[in-house]
Amino acid sequence: MTISNSNHTKVNELISILSDMTGLAAGYYSSACHEKSAFQFAAPFSKGQSIFEFLYNRVENVECFLYDEGEGCYFFSVWMETLQGFFITGPYRAADAVPDECLVYLPDGLQAEEAHAPYKYRHHYVRTMVNSMIRHYFYYYPGIAYEYDWITQGMNEAGMDYVYHPYEQEKKFLEYFKNTDPEGFEMLKNLEQETDMTFGSEAPVRELKNYLIVLCAILTRPLIEIGVTSTEVMTMNRSLLSKIENSDTLNQLNEQKTEILNSFYYIMKKERNKGYSPFTRQVREFIQSHLRKPVDVKTVADYMNLTPGYVSTMFKEECGVTLKRYILESKIREAERLVIYSDMPLSDIALMLCFNDQTYFTKAFKRITGRTPMQYRKQGS
């Protein structure tokens, strides 16, 4: 099955979100994608056998855990019937047992090489995060899903029309949130009351947990887009997600919801209170949302419909750093996250962030972080 360009873009966006939320590498694989994705998944397969072929010929469940005995790490896979492909997240390690009926062993010769596998307390954490985000994302983008897909099962024709409504409301809420307008929280309350969207469980506690996980994902993206470092956001996110999973009652989870909103709002307001002008905020947001594309001073100037000299001067006067330097630092901060939270080859990370010269990428990385990408990966942070 061939994916349209628009759907391919949506799949890539979801891969990026899954990676941000889980702190793990993520990818999408079908017969048409040739084992490539926006977030270059570190393939645990070799000898010419594709990830897609291996899963398609062996996996019998929509969801499954892949176990690499050689490295002692897991991958979580979800089959998308409508896309005829698999979303995969991992590798990671966990202490609790996985369901035997959903476990697939990787055979000899297909183990991950030098797997950087973060420790996750429970498999259910990864499973819930991935399923909640896929379910949420495809409700909001029903053009990918079909009537009989497992994600949208039970949605009638009227329901398919309805899903556009909460998406538009969510976009308005995020605009209020990005502008630190308290009115946004009232809009969020109305959105929760008016929508019939569910998050994959009939158990009230699990349902609320899934919703809070999705809420964290929704609020994470605009923070990173306006220039908050991904390290700061993800550190806070990991703490909140751990509290969500360790909460056992609806009262505790409702308290967690208040903490989530307050925490994200505080960071957003702190960033806004730095005193940046609308001009500078627009420049920073543009750069943060185009880190995986070729961006230079001229690109930004063209976007702002101004001359490169004027944009550079205005940006440095307000931020105290040249625009060229800010673009480079932003790309290196994204590279830091990819180096730590994925097993992508360093050369692929460089290409993804549009460093065509591997030597220049390594020198720039060391100049800003004090370590080479390889040293950074081996030391873990």
Side-chain angles (χ1 to χ4, degrees):
M1 176 182 178
T2 302
I3 304 177
S4 68
N5 289 337
S6 61
N7 286 349
H8 192 268
T9 297
K10 293 170 185 176
V11 167
N12 287 343
E13 289 174 356
L14 177 56
I15 289 168
S16 180
I17 290 171
L18 289 176
S19 176
D20 285 341
M21 288 303 299
T22 61
L24 302 173
Y28 168 77
Y29 297 93
S30 71
S31 59
C33 282
H34 307 296
E35 302 180 3
K36 294 182 179 179
S37 61
F39 191 97
Q40 194 76 10
F41 183 78
F45 305 96
S46 59
K47 297 185 178 179
Q49 183 174 35
S50 74
I51 296 174
F52 176 80
E53 289 173 342
F54 176 85
L55 294 176
Y56 193 80
N57 292 330
R58 289 168 177 79
V59 172
E60 297 180 357
N61 301 297
V62 170
E63 305 170 4
C64 75
F65 294 93
L66 308 175
Y67 182 55
D68 180 342
E69 292 183 282
E71 296 291 340
C73 59
Y74 294 87
F75 299 80
F76 179 65
S77 170
V78 177
W79 165 254
M80 283 290 296
E81 177 68 29
T82 58
L83 295 177
Q84 291 290 295
F86 297 89
F87 283 100
I88 308 177
T89 306
Y92 69 93
R93 293 183 170 89
D96 63 325
V98 297
D100 291 337
E101 68 274 13
C102 296
L103 186 62
V104 175
Y105 288 87
L106 301 181
D108 293 339
L110 299 181
Q111 282 83 9
E113 297 180 0
E114 299 182 0
H116 178 76
Y119 182 81
K120 302 298 180 184
Y121 180 63
R122 295 179 179 179
H123 292 286
H124 194 67
Y125 165 85
V126 178
R127 188 178 196 169
T128 299
M129 294 275 284
V130 173
N131 277 329
S132 294
M133 288 314 306
I134 290 177
R135 184 178 180 85
H136 171 78
Y137 197 82
F138 283 96
Y139 262 120
Y140 278 4
Y141 293 100
I144 298 180
Y146 295 94
E147 183 178 357
Y148 300 108
D149 182 51
W150 69 277
I151 287 179
T152 54
Q153 188 174 12
M155 294 178 68
N156 55 28
E157 185 173 350
M160 291 298 286
D161 292 336
Y162 177 73
V163 295
Y164 288 100
H165 175 61
Y167 175 57
E168 292 302 320
Q169 282 190 317
E170 182 187 291
K171 287 199 299 184
K172 291 179 181 179
F173 159 67
L174 290 178
E175 285 303 315
Y176 278 103
F177 173 70
K178 289 172 72 172
N179 292 316
T180 63
D181 187 337
E183 183 68 23
F185 296 112
E186 188 64 30
M187 180 176 292
L188 179 63
K189 184 189 300 183
N190 293 336
L191 178 59
E192 293 169 345
Q193 292 173 347
E194 293 174 10
T195 182
D196 293 328
M197 186 181 299
T198 59
F199 292 87
S201 176
E202 295 181 359
V205 170
R206 184 69 258 170
E207 173 77 3
L208 184 51
K209 284 185 178 184
N210 292 356
Y211 168 70
L212 295 182
I213 289 169
V214 170
L215 182 62
C216 284
I218 292 172
L219 297 179
T220 293
R221 305 299 290 179
L223 285 181
I224 294 176
E225 285 173 5
I226 70 164
V228 180
T229 65
S230 58
T231 300
E232 181 179 3
V233 177
M234 298 316 297
T235 298
M236 180 187 71
N237 229 338
R238 283 192 291 271
S239 174
L240 292 172
L241 293 172
S242 176
K243 290 180 180 179
I244 291 171
E245 286 300 329
N246 291 328
S247 297
D248 299 319
T249 68
L250 292 176
N251 284 339
Q252 290 175 332
L253 289 169
N254 281 316
E255 290 176 2
Q256 289 302 315
K257 178 184 174 183
T258 300
E259 181 179 352
I260 289 168
L261 294 174
N262 289 341
S263 298
F264 278 94
Y265 185 77
Y266 170 77
I267 291 183
M268 179 65 76
K269 195 162 187 176
K270 183 178 72 172
E271 185 70 15
R272 289 300 192 197
N273 285 342
K274 287 182 177 179
Y276 294 130
S277 67
F279 164 84
T280 298
R281 288 203 298 268
Q282 189 174 358
V283 170
R284 285 162 59 92
E285 289 175 15
F286 175 78
I287 293 169
Q288 293 298 323
S289 62
H290 290 76
L291 294 178
R292 299 183 183 187
K293 296 180 180 178
V295 178
D296 56 18
V297 174
K298 185 178 184 305
T299 306
V300 177
D302 290 344
Y303 169 74
M304 299 294 290
N305 199 27
L306 297 168
T307 66
Y310 180 82
V311 172
S312 297
T313 300
M314 292 293 291
F315 189 88
K316 185 175 182 180
E317 285 181 359
E318 187 166 350
C319 298
V321 63
T322 65
L323 181 55
K324 182 178 180 180
R325 175 74 178 190
Y326 178 78
I327 293 171
L328 178 62
E329 288 182 350
S330 297
K331 284 182 174 285
I332 295 300
R333 295 309 175 195
E334 176 70 359
E336 285 183 89
R337 186 180 68 82
L338 296 174
V339 167
I340 290 297
Y341 293 119
S342 82
D343 286 323
M344 289 176 61
L346 300 179
S347 58
D348 287 354
I349 293 176
L351 287 175
M352 176 180 287
L353 297 174
C354 302
F355 289 93
N356 295 323
D357 186 327
Q358 177 70 29
T359 301
Y360 173 66
F361 169 69
T362 301
K363 289 181 178 179
F365 194 99
K366 184 175 183 179
R367 186 164 70 247
I368 291 173
T369 68
R371 288 173 283 179
T372 67
M374 182 60 71
Q375 290 170 337
Y376 204 85
R377 172 165 283 175
K378 287 181 177 179
Q379 294 172 15
S381 65

